[in-house]
PDB file of all heavy atoms in Angstrom:
ATOM      1  N   ALA A  28     103.195  82.187  90.749  1.00  0.00           N
ATOM      2  CA  ALA A  28     103.493  82.719  89.418  1.00  0.00           C
ATOM      3  C   ALA A  28     104.934  82.421  89.016  1.00  0.00           C
ATOM      4  O   ALA A  28     105.219  82.138  87.850  1.00  0.00           O
ATOM      5  CB  ALA A  28     103.237  84.227  89.389  1.00  0.00           C
ATOM      6  N   LEU A  29     105.862  82.466  89.976  1.00  0.00           N
ATOM      7  CA  LEU A  29     107.249  82.126  89.682  1.00  0.00           C
ATOM      8  C   LEU A  29     107.354  80.678  89.212  1.00  0.00           C
ATOM      9  O   LEU A  29     108.019  80.377  88.212  1.00  0.00           O
ATOM     10  CB  LEU A  29     108.127  82.336  90.914  1.00  0.00           C
ATOM     11  CG  LEU A  29     108.323  83.766  91.427  1.00  0.00           C
ATOM     12  CD1 LEU A  29     109.225  83.763  92.659  1.00  0.00           C
ATOM     13  CD2 LEU A  29     108.909  84.659  90.359  1.00  0.00           C
ATOM     14  N   ALA A  30     106.712  79.793  89.942  1.00  0.00           N
ATOM     15  CA  ALA A  30     106.783  78.375  89.597  1.00  0.00           C
ATOM     16  C   ALA A  30     106.099  78.094  88.262  1.00  0.00           C
ATOM     17  O   ALA A  30     106.622  77.349  87.423  1.00  0.00           O
ATOM     18  CB  ALA A  30     106.151  77.543  90.714  1.00  0.00           C
ATOM     19  N   ARG A  31     104.944  78.706  88.054  1.00  0.00           N
ATOM     20  CA  ARG A  31     104.176  78.465  86.831  1.00  0.00           C
ATOM     21  C   ARG A  31     104.887  78.989  85.584  1.00  0.00           C
ATOM     22  O   ARG A  31     104.838  78.379  84.520  1.00  0.00           O
ATOM     23  CB  ARG A  31     102.797  79.114  86.985  1.00  0.00           C
ATOM     24  CG  ARG A  31     101.830  78.822  85.847  1.00  0.00           C
ATOM     25  CD  ARG A  31     100.433  79.332  86.191  1.00  0.00           C
ATOM     26  NE  ARG A  31     100.409  80.761  86.436  1.00  0.00           N
ATOM     27  CZ  ARG A  31     100.218  81.320  87.633  1.00  0.00           C
ATOM     28  NH1 ARG A  31     100.050  80.553  88.706  1.00  0.00           N
ATOM     29  NH2 ARG A  31     100.195  82.637  87.793  1.00  0.00           N
ATOM     30  N   GLY A  32     105.558  80.138  85.717  1.00  0.00           N
ATOM     31  CA  GLY A  32     106.175  80.758  84.550  1.00  0.00           C
ATOM     32  C   GLY A  32     107.643  80.447  84.369  1.00  0.00           C
ATOM     33  O   GLY A  32     108.276  80.989  83.458  1.00  0.00           O
ATOM     34  N   GLY A  33     108.220  79.593  85.220  1.00  0.00           N
ATOM     35  CA  GLY A  33     109.633  79.287  85.101  1.00  0.00           C
ATOM     36  C   GLY A  33     110.520  80.476  85.427  1.00  0.00           C
ATOM     37  O   GLY A  33     111.622  80.603  84.894  1.00  0.00           O
ATOM     38  N   LEU A  34     110.052  81.354  86.320  1.00  0.00           N
ATOM     39  CA  LEU A  34     110.780  82.565  86.679  1.00  0.00           C
ATOM     40  C   LEU A  34     111.741  82.282  87.830  1.00  0.00           C
ATOM     41  O   LEU A  34     111.449  81.477  88.714  1.00  0.00           O
ATOM     42  CB  LEU A  34     109.801  83.660  87.090  1.00  0.00           C
ATOM     43  CG  LEU A  34     108.797  84.071  86.003  1.00  0.00           C
ATOM     44  CD1 LEU A  34     107.632  84.836  86.612  1.00  0.00           C
ATOM     45  CD2 LEU A  34     109.486  84.915  84.943  1.00  0.00           C
ATOM     46  N   ALA A  35     112.893  82.968  87.804  1.00  0.00           N
ATOM     47  CA  ALA A  35     113.890  82.736  88.848  1.00  0.00           C
ATOM     48  C   ALA A  35     113.528  83.456  90.140  1.00  0.00           C
ATOM     49  O   ALA A  35     113.600  82.882  91.226  1.00  0.00           O
ATOM     50  CB  ALA A  35     115.266  83.188  88.363  1.00  0.00           C
ATOM     51  N   GLY A  36     113.156  84.740  90.041  1.00  0.00           N
ATOM     52  CA  GLY A  36     112.877  85.499  91.247  1.00  0.00           C
ATOM     53  C   GLY A  36     112.160  86.788  90.962  1.00  0.00           C
ATOM     54  O   GLY A  36     111.986  87.174  89.800  1.00  0.00           O
ATOM     55  N   ALA A  37     111.754  87.460  92.027  1.00  0.00           N
ATOM     56  CA  ALA A  37     111.031  88.719  91.891  1.00  0.00           C
ATOM     57  C   ALA A  37     111.253  89.564  93.132  1.00  0.00           C
ATOM     58  O   ALA A  37     111.539  89.047  94.220  1.00  0.00           O
ATOM     59  CB  ALA A  37     109.530  88.471  91.694  1.00  0.00           C
ATOM     60  N   VAL A  38     111.127  90.870  92.945  1.00  0.00           N
ATOM     61  CA  VAL A  38     111.155  91.830  94.044  1.00  0.00           C
ATOM     62  C   VAL A  38     109.871  92.635  93.978  1.00  0.00           C
ATOM     63  O   VAL A  38     109.480  93.108  92.903  1.00  0.00           O
ATOM     64  CB  VAL A  38     112.373  92.762  93.945  1.00  0.00           C
ATOM     65  CG1 VAL A  38     112.255  93.906  94.938  1.00  0.00           C
ATOM     66  CG2 VAL A  38     113.663  91.993  94.193  1.00  0.00           C
ATOM     67  N   VAL A  39     109.191  92.779  95.105  1.00  0.00           N
ATOM     68  CA  VAL A  39     107.939  93.534  95.181  1.00  0.00           C
ATOM     69  C   VAL A  39     108.088  94.608  96.257  1.00  0.00           C
ATOM     70  O   VAL A  39     108.487  94.303  97.388  1.00  0.00           O
ATOM     71  CB  VAL A  39     106.742  92.621  95.512  1.00  0.00           C
ATOM     72  CG1 VAL A  39     105.457  93.440  95.603  1.00  0.00           C
ATOM     73  CG2 VAL A  39     106.601  91.516  94.472  1.00  0.00           C
ATOM     74  N   VAL A  40     107.779  95.855  95.901  1.00  0.00           N
ATOM     75  CA  VAL A  40     107.887  96.977  96.831  1.00  0.00           C
ATOM     76  C   VAL A  40     106.596  97.788  96.771  1.00  0.00           C
ATOM     77  O   VAL A  40     106.116  98.110  95.675  1.00  0.00           O
ATOM     78  CB  VAL A  40     109.082  97.885  96.491  1.00  0.00           C
ATOM     79  CG1 VAL A  40     109.160  99.049  97.468  1.00  0.00           C
ATOM     80  CG2 VAL A  40     110.378  97.090  96.490  1.00  0.00           C
ATOM     81  N   VAL A  41     106.040  98.116  97.931  1.00  0.00           N
ATOM     82  CA  VAL A  41     104.840  98.950  98.009  1.00  0.00           C
ATOM     83  C   VAL A  41     105.101 100.045  99.034  1.00  0.00           C
ATOM     84  O   VAL A  41     105.564  99.763 100.156  1.00  0.00           O
ATOM     85  CB  VAL A  41     103.595  98.134  98.412  1.00  0.00           C
ATOM     86  CG1 VAL A  41     102.359  99.037  98.471  1.00  0.00           C
ATOM     87  CG2 VAL A  41     103.364  96.980  97.444  1.00  0.00           C
ATOM     88  N   VAL A  42     104.821 101.285  98.661  1.00  0.00           N
ATOM     89  CA  VAL A  42     104.943 102.413  99.596  1.00  0.00           C
ATOM     90  C   VAL A  42     103.583 103.095  99.704  1.00  0.00           C
ATOM     91  O   VAL A  42     102.806 103.118  98.754  1.00  0.00           O
ATOM     92  CB  VAL A  42     106.019 103.421  99.144  1.00  0.00           C
ATOM     93  CG1 VAL A  42     107.376 102.755  99.058  1.00  0.00           C
ATOM     94  CG2 VAL A  42     105.657 104.069  97.817  1.00  0.00           C
ATOM     95  N   LYS A  43     103.309 103.651 100.888  1.00  0.00           N
ATOM     96  CA  LYS A  43     102.043 104.336 101.132  1.00  0.00           C
ATOM     97  C   LYS A  43     102.276 105.437 102.157  1.00  0.00           C
ATOM     98  O   LYS A  43     102.871 105.195 103.215  1.00  0.00           O
ATOM     99  CB  LYS A  43     100.986 103.359 101.661  1.00  0.00           C
ATOM    100  CG  LYS A  43      99.622 103.983 101.943  1.00  0.00           C
ATOM    101  CD  LYS A  43      98.845 104.219 100.653  1.00  0.00           C
ATOM    102  CE  LYS A  43      97.384 104.579 100.912  1.00  0.00           C
ATOM    103  NZ  LYS A  43      97.205 105.946 101.424  1.00  0.00           N
ATOM    104  N   ASP A  44     101.842 106.652 101.816  1.00  0.00           N
ATOM    105  CA  ASP A  44     101.939 107.786 102.739  1.00  0.00           C
ATOM    106  C   ASP A  44     103.367 107.990 103.251  1.00  0.00           C
ATOM    107  O   ASP A  44     103.598 108.238 104.439  1.00  0.00           O
ATOM    108  CB  ASP A  44     100.981 107.595 103.917  1.00  0.00           C
ATOM    109  CG  ASP A  44      99.523 107.562 103.470  1.00  0.00           C
ATOM    110  OD1 ASP A  44      99.192 108.283 102.514  1.00  0.00           O
ATOM    111  OD2 ASP A  44      98.739 106.802 104.060  1.00  0.00           O
ATOM    112  N   GLY A  45     104.330 107.846 102.341  1.00  0.00           N
ATOM    113  CA  GLY A  45     105.713 108.107 102.692  1.00  0.00           C
ATOM    114  C   GLY A  45     106.415 106.993 103.437  1.00  0.00           C
ATOM    115  O   GLY A  45     107.561 107.157 103.866  1.00  0.00           O
ATOM    116  N   GLN A  46     105.754 105.841 103.609  1.00  0.00           N
ATOM    117  CA  GLN A  46     106.339 104.725 104.336  1.00  0.00           C
ATOM    118  C   GLN A  46     106.384 103.485 103.453  1.00  0.00           C
ATOM    119  O   GLN A  46     105.528 103.284 102.580  1.00  0.00           O
ATOM    120  CB  GLN A  46     105.519 104.409 105.601  1.00  0.00           C
ATOM    121  CG  GLN A  46     105.396 105.571 106.568  1.00  0.00           C
ATOM    122  CD  GLN A  46     106.734 105.991 107.149  1.00  0.00           C
ATOM    123  OE1 GLN A  46     107.567 105.151 107.469  1.00  0.00           O
ATOM    124  NE2 GLN A  46     106.939 107.295 107.289  1.00  0.00           N
ATOM    125  N   VAL A  47     107.378 102.649 103.679  1.00  0.00           N
ATOM    126  CA  VAL A  47     107.475 101.364 102.975  1.00  0.00           C
ATOM    127  C   VAL A  47     106.621 100.356 103.743  1.00  0.00           C
ATOM    128  O   VAL A  47     106.891 100.074 104.916  1.00  0.00           O
ATOM    129  CB  VAL A  47     108.928 100.874 102.905  1.00  0.00           C
ATOM    130  CG1 VAL A  47     108.997  99.520 102.199  1.00  0.00           C
ATOM    131  CG2 VAL A  47     109.801 101.894 102.191  1.00  0.00           C
ATOM    132  N   ILE A  48     105.593  99.839 103.093  1.00  0.00           N
ATOM    133  CA  ILE A  48     104.750  98.850 103.771  1.00  0.00           C
ATOM    134  C   ILE A  48     105.042  97.431 103.293  1.00  0.00           C
ATOM    135  O   ILE A  48     104.590  96.469 103.905  1.00  0.00           O
ATOM    136  CB  ILE A  48     103.249  99.182 103.620  1.00  0.00           C
ATOM    137  CG1 ILE A  48     102.804  99.147 102.163  1.00  0.00           C
ATOM    138  CG2 ILE A  48     102.942 100.536 104.240  1.00  0.00           C
ATOM    139  CD1 ILE A  48     101.302  99.318 102.002  1.00  0.00           C
ATOM    140  N   LEU A  49     105.797  97.302 102.184  1.00  0.00           N
ATOM    141  CA  LEU A  49     106.247  95.981 101.750  1.00  0.00           C
ATOM    142  C   LEU A  49     107.486  96.162 100.888  1.00  0.00           C
ATOM    143  O   LEU A  49     107.488  96.964  99.956  1.00  0.00           O
ATOM    144  CB  LEU A  49     105.160  95.251 100.949  1.00  0.00           C
ATOM    145  CG  LEU A  49     105.581  93.883 100.380  1.00  0.00           C
ATOM    146  CD1 LEU A  49     105.846  92.887 101.518  1.00  0.00           C
ATOM    147  CD2 LEU A  49     104.527  93.320  99.437  1.00  0.00           C
ATOM    148  N   ALA A  50     108.550  95.426 101.199  1.00  0.00           N
ATOM    149  CA  ALA A  50     109.756  95.350 100.372  1.00  0.00           C
ATOM    150  C   ALA A  50     110.276  93.931 100.538  1.00  0.00           C
ATOM    151  O   ALA A  50     110.915  93.609 101.543  1.00  0.00           O
ATOM    152  CB  ALA A  50     110.795  96.377 100.797  1.00  0.00           C
ATOM    153  N   LYS A  51     109.987  93.080  99.579  1.00  0.00           N
ATOM    154  CA  LYS A  51     110.231  91.652  99.780  1.00  0.00           C
ATOM    155  C   LYS A  51     110.728  91.004  98.496  1.00  0.00           C
ATOM    156  O   LYS A  51     110.285  91.338  97.398  1.00  0.00           O
ATOM    157  CB  LYS A  51     108.932  90.971 100.242  1.00  0.00           C
ATOM    158  CG  LYS A  51     109.110  89.527 100.697  1.00  0.00           C
ATOM    159  CD  LYS A  51     107.842  89.004 101.353  1.00  0.00           C
ATOM    160  CE  LYS A  51     108.016  87.598 101.890  1.00  0.00           C
ATOM    161  NZ  LYS A  51     106.806  87.113 102.591  1.00  0.00           N
ATOM    162  N   GLY A  52     111.664  90.077  98.659  1.00  0.00           N
ATOM    163  CA  GLY A  52     112.151  89.292  97.532  1.00  0.00           C
ATOM    164  C   GLY A  52     111.551  87.905  97.539  1.00  0.00           C
ATOM    165  O   GLY A  52     111.248  87.341  98.604  1.00  0.00           O
ATOM    166  N   TYR A  53     111.381  87.353  96.350  1.00  0.00           N
ATOM    167  CA  TYR A  53     110.839  85.998  96.187  1.00  0.00           C
ATOM    168  C   TYR A  53     111.749  85.229  95.228  1.00  0.00           C
ATOM    169  O   TYR A  53     112.268  85.799  94.261  1.00  0.00           O
ATOM    170  CB  TYR A  53     109.427  86.039  95.606  1.00  0.00           C
ATOM    171  CG  TYR A  53     108.403  86.733  96.477  1.00  0.00           C
ATOM    172  CD1 TYR A  53     108.244  88.113  96.409  1.00  0.00           C
ATOM    173  CD2 TYR A  53     107.603  86.019  97.354  1.00  0.00           C
ATOM    174  CE1 TYR A  53     107.300  88.765  97.201  1.00  0.00           C
ATOM    175  CE2 TYR A  53     106.655  86.650  98.151  1.00  0.00           C
ATOM    176  CZ  TYR A  53     106.503  88.027  98.065  1.00  0.00           C
ATOM    177  OH  TYR A  53     105.571  88.667  98.842  1.00  0.00           O
ATOM    178  N   GLY A  54     111.934  83.949  95.462  1.00  0.00           N
ATOM    179  CA  GLY A  54     112.737  83.140  94.556  1.00  0.00           C
ATOM    180  C   GLY A  54     114.218  83.433  94.705  1.00  0.00           C
ATOM    181  O   GLY A  54     114.694  83.820  95.780  1.00  0.00           O
ATOM    182  N   TYR A  55     114.953  83.253  93.591  1.00  0.00           N
ATOM    183  CA  TYR A  55     116.404  83.273  93.648  1.00  0.00           C
ATOM    184  C   TYR A  55     117.015  84.348  92.766  1.00  0.00           C
ATOM    185  O   TYR A  55     116.577  84.588  91.642  1.00  0.00           O
ATOM    186  CB  TYR A  55     116.961  81.908  93.227  1.00  0.00           C
ATOM    187  CG  TYR A  55     116.575  80.790  94.167  1.00  0.00           C
ATOM    188  CD1 TYR A  55     115.537  79.915  93.837  1.00  0.00           C
ATOM    189  CD2 TYR A  55     117.225  80.629  95.374  1.00  0.00           C
ATOM    190  CE1 TYR A  55     115.165  78.899  94.697  1.00  0.00           C
ATOM    191  CE2 TYR A  55     116.865  79.613  96.257  1.00  0.00           C
ATOM    192  CZ  TYR A  55     115.831  78.753  95.911  1.00  0.00           C
ATOM    193  OH  TYR A  55     115.473  77.759  96.776  1.00  0.00           O
ATOM    194  N   ALA A  56     118.096  84.954  93.296  1.00  0.00           N
ATOM    195  CA  ALA A  56     118.934  85.834  92.496  1.00  0.00           C
ATOM    196  C   ALA A  56     120.002  85.030  91.764  1.00  0.00           C
ATOM    197  O   ALA A  56     120.522  85.462  90.740  1.00  0.00           O
ATOM    198  CB  ALA A  56     119.591  86.886  93.382  1.00  0.00           C
ATOM    199  N   ASP A  57     120.350  83.861  92.307  1.00  0.00           N
ATOM    200  CA  ASP A  57     121.309  82.947  91.683  1.00  0.00           C
ATOM    201  C   ASP A  57     120.822  81.536  91.966  1.00  0.00           C
ATOM    202  O   ASP A  57     120.915  81.049  93.103  1.00  0.00           O
ATOM    203  CB  ASP A  57     122.709  83.181  92.260  1.00  0.00           C
ATOM    204  CG  ASP A  57     123.772  82.324  91.575  1.00  0.00           C
ATOM    205  OD1 ASP A  57     123.435  81.267  91.024  1.00  0.00           O
ATOM    206  OD2 ASP A  57     124.951  82.732  91.609  1.00  0.00           O
ATOM    207  N   ARG A  58     120.281  80.881  90.951  1.00  0.00           N
ATOM    208  CA  ARG A  58     119.715  79.551  91.156  1.00  0.00           C
ATOM    209  C   ARG A  58     120.784  78.543  91.568  1.00  0.00           C
ATOM    210  O   ARG A  58     120.568  77.712  92.457  1.00  0.00           O
ATOM    211  CB  ARG A  58     119.039  79.082  89.868  1.00  0.00           C
ATOM    212  CG  ARG A  58     117.640  79.625  89.674  1.00  0.00           C
ATOM    213  CD  ARG A  58     117.109  79.206  88.322  1.00  0.00           C
ATOM    214  NE  ARG A  58     115.676  79.433  88.199  1.00  0.00           N
ATOM    215  CZ  ARG A  58     115.035  79.484  87.043  1.00  0.00           C
ATOM    216  NH1 ARG A  58     115.701  79.333  85.925  1.00  0.00           N
ATOM    217  NH2 ARG A  58     113.735  79.694  87.014  1.00  0.00           N
ATOM    218  N   ALA A  59     121.931  78.581  90.901  1.00  0.00           N
ATOM    219  CA  ALA A  59     122.963  77.576  91.140  1.00  0.00           C
ATOM    220  C   ALA A  59     123.464  77.623  92.583  1.00  0.00           C
ATOM    221  O   ALA A  59     123.696  76.584  93.210  1.00  0.00           O
ATOM    222  CB  ALA A  59     124.124  77.778  90.168  1.00  0.00           C
ATOM    223  N   LYS A  60     123.625  78.818  93.127  1.00  0.00           N
ATOM    224  CA  LYS A  60     124.136  78.971  94.490  1.00  0.00           C
ATOM    225  C   LYS A  60     123.024  79.053  95.530  1.00  0.00           C
ATOM    226  O   LYS A  60     123.308  79.097  96.735  1.00  0.00           O
ATOM    227  CB  LYS A  60     125.008  80.218  94.579  1.00  0.00           C
ATOM    228  CG  LYS A  60     126.267  80.136  93.726  1.00  0.00           C
ATOM    229  CD  LYS A  60     127.107  81.402  93.878  1.00  0.00           C
ATOM    230  CE  LYS A  60     128.383  81.302  93.059  1.00  0.00           C
ATOM    231  NZ  LYS A  60     129.220  82.531  93.175  1.00  0.00           N
ATOM    232  N   GLY A  61     121.778  79.094  95.074  1.00  0.00           N
ATOM    233  CA  GLY A  61     120.675  79.204  96.016  1.00  0.00           C
ATOM    234  C   GLY A  61     120.606  80.547  96.703  1.00  0.00           C
ATOM    235  O   GLY A  61     120.021  80.662  97.790  1.00  0.00           O
ATOM    236  N   ARG A  62     121.188  81.584  96.077  1.00  0.00           N
ATOM    237  CA  ARG A  62     121.170  82.921  96.687  1.00  0.00           C
ATOM    238  C   ARG A  62     119.787  83.532  96.501  1.00  0.00           C
ATOM    239  O   ARG A  62     119.324  83.691  95.372  1.00  0.00           O
ATOM    240  CB  ARG A  62     122.238  83.800  96.038  1.00  0.00           C
ATOM    241  CG  ARG A  62     122.253  85.237  96.529  1.00  0.00           C
ATOM    242  CD  ARG A  62     123.580  85.928  96.206  1.00  0.00           C
ATOM    243  NE  ARG A  62     123.915  85.866  94.804  1.00  0.00           N
ATOM    244  CZ  ARG A  62     123.605  86.805  93.914  1.00  0.00           C
ATOM    245  NH1 ARG A  62     122.919  87.877  94.292  1.00  0.00           N
ATOM    246  NH2 ARG A  62     123.978  86.678  92.664  1.00  0.00           N
ATOM    247  N   PRO A  63     119.098  83.899  97.579  1.00  0.00           N
ATOM    248  CA  PRO A  63     117.716  84.378  97.454  1.00  0.00           C
ATOM    249  C   PRO A  63     117.652  85.826  96.980  1.00  0.00           C
ATOM    250  O   PRO A  63     118.609  86.595  97.130  1.00  0.00           O
ATOM    251  CB  PRO A  63     117.171  84.253  98.870  1.00  0.00           C
ATOM    252  CG  PRO A  63     118.379  84.423  99.737  1.00  0.00           C
ATOM    253  CD  PRO A  63     119.524  83.802  98.985  1.00  0.00           C
ATOM    254  N   MET A  64     116.524  86.180  96.433  1.00  0.00           N
ATOM    255  CA  MET A  64     116.234  87.580  96.120  1.00  0.00           C
ATOM    256  C   MET A  64     116.013  88.335  97.427  1.00  0.00           C
ATOM    257  O   MET A  64     115.255  87.886  98.286  1.00  0.00           O
ATOM    258  CB  MET A  64     114.978  87.698  95.255  1.00  0.00           C
ATOM    259  CG  MET A  64     115.223  87.521  93.776  1.00  0.00           C
ATOM    260  SD  MET A  64     115.944  89.002  93.052  1.00  0.00           S
ATOM    261  CE  MET A  64     115.597  88.713  91.311  1.00  0.00           C
ATOM    262  N   ASP A  65     116.674  89.481  97.546  1.00  0.00           N
ATOM    263  CA  ASP A  65     116.575  90.298  98.750  1.00  0.00           C
ATOM    264  C   ASP A  65     116.258  91.725  98.310  1.00  0.00           C
ATOM    265  O   ASP A  65     117.030  92.331  97.566  1.00  0.00           O
ATOM    266  CB  ASP A  65     117.890  90.249  99.527  1.00  0.00           C
ATOM    267  CG  ASP A  65     117.828  90.969 100.862  1.00  0.00           C
ATOM    268  OD1 ASP A  65     117.221  92.065 100.930  1.00  0.00           O
ATOM    269  OD2 ASP A  65     118.394  90.459 101.834  1.00  0.00           O
ATOM    270  N   ALA A  66     115.128  92.260  98.743  1.00  0.00           N
ATOM    271  CA  ALA A  66     114.700  93.581  98.282  1.00  0.00           C
ATOM    272  C   ALA A  66     115.674  94.679  98.672  1.00  0.00           C
ATOM    273  O   ALA A  66     115.774  95.699  97.986  1.00  0.00           O
ATOM    274  CB  ALA A  66     113.309  93.901  98.827  1.00  0.00           C
ATOM    275  N   ALA A  67     116.413  94.492  99.763  1.00  0.00           N
ATOM    276  CA  ALA A  67     117.338  95.527 100.215  1.00  0.00           C
ATOM    277  C   ALA A  67     118.736  95.360  99.639  1.00  0.00           C
ATOM    278  O   ALA A  67     119.471  96.334  99.501  1.00  0.00           O
ATOM    279  CB  ALA A  67     117.417  95.525 101.739  1.00  0.00           C
ATOM    280  N   ARG A  68     119.106  94.143  99.260  1.00  0.00           N
ATOM    281  CA  ARG A  68     120.491  93.878  98.872  1.00  0.00           C
ATOM    282  C   ARG A  68     120.656  93.522  97.395  1.00  0.00           C
ATOM    283  O   ARG A  68     121.609  93.958  96.741  1.00  0.00           O
ATOM    284  CB  ARG A  68     121.055  92.753  99.740  1.00  0.00           C
ATOM    285  CG  ARG A  68     122.529  92.493  99.492  1.00  0.00           C
ATOM    286  CD  ARG A  68     123.075  91.447 100.460  1.00  0.00           C
ATOM    287  NE  ARG A  68     124.512  91.268 100.267  1.00  0.00           N
ATOM    288  CZ  ARG A  68     125.448  92.001 100.842  1.00  0.00           C
ATOM    289  NH1 ARG A  68     125.093  92.969 101.674  1.00  0.00           N
ATOM    290  NH2 ARG A  68     126.730  91.778 100.623  1.00  0.00           N
ATOM    291  N   THR A  69     119.757  92.720  96.854  1.00  0.00           N
ATOM    292  CA  THR A  69     119.925  92.212  95.491  1.00  0.00           C
ATOM    293  C   THR A  69     119.811  93.336  94.470  1.00  0.00           C
ATOM    294  O   THR A  69     118.840  94.096  94.473  1.00  0.00           O
ATOM    295  CB  THR A  69     118.881  91.130  95.184  1.00  0.00           C
ATOM    296  OG1 THR A  69     118.992  90.077  96.148  1.00  0.00           O
ATOM    297  CG2 THR A  69     119.095  90.562  93.788  1.00  0.00           C
ATOM    298  N   VAL A  70     120.779  93.413  93.574  1.00  0.00           N
ATOM    299  CA  VAL A  70     120.797  94.429  92.527  1.00  0.00           C
ATOM    300  C   VAL A  70     120.069  93.893  91.304  1.00  0.00           C
ATOM    301  O   VAL A  70     120.392  92.812  90.796  1.00  0.00           O
ATOM    302  CB  VAL A  70     122.242  94.813  92.157  1.00  0.00           C
ATOM    303  CG1 VAL A  70     122.264  95.804  90.996  1.00  0.00           C
ATOM    304  CG2 VAL A  70     122.958  95.392  93.367  1.00  0.00           C
TER     305      VAL A  70
END
């Protein structure tokens, strides 16, 4: 979807029963520098 829509990046988070079962970044937070999306760090 990122490639198809020309999107730079995405963050996806899923919680269940009080626990984090997915917290993941996709693509880039900064395309020019190649800085990846990070679910824990990227603002």
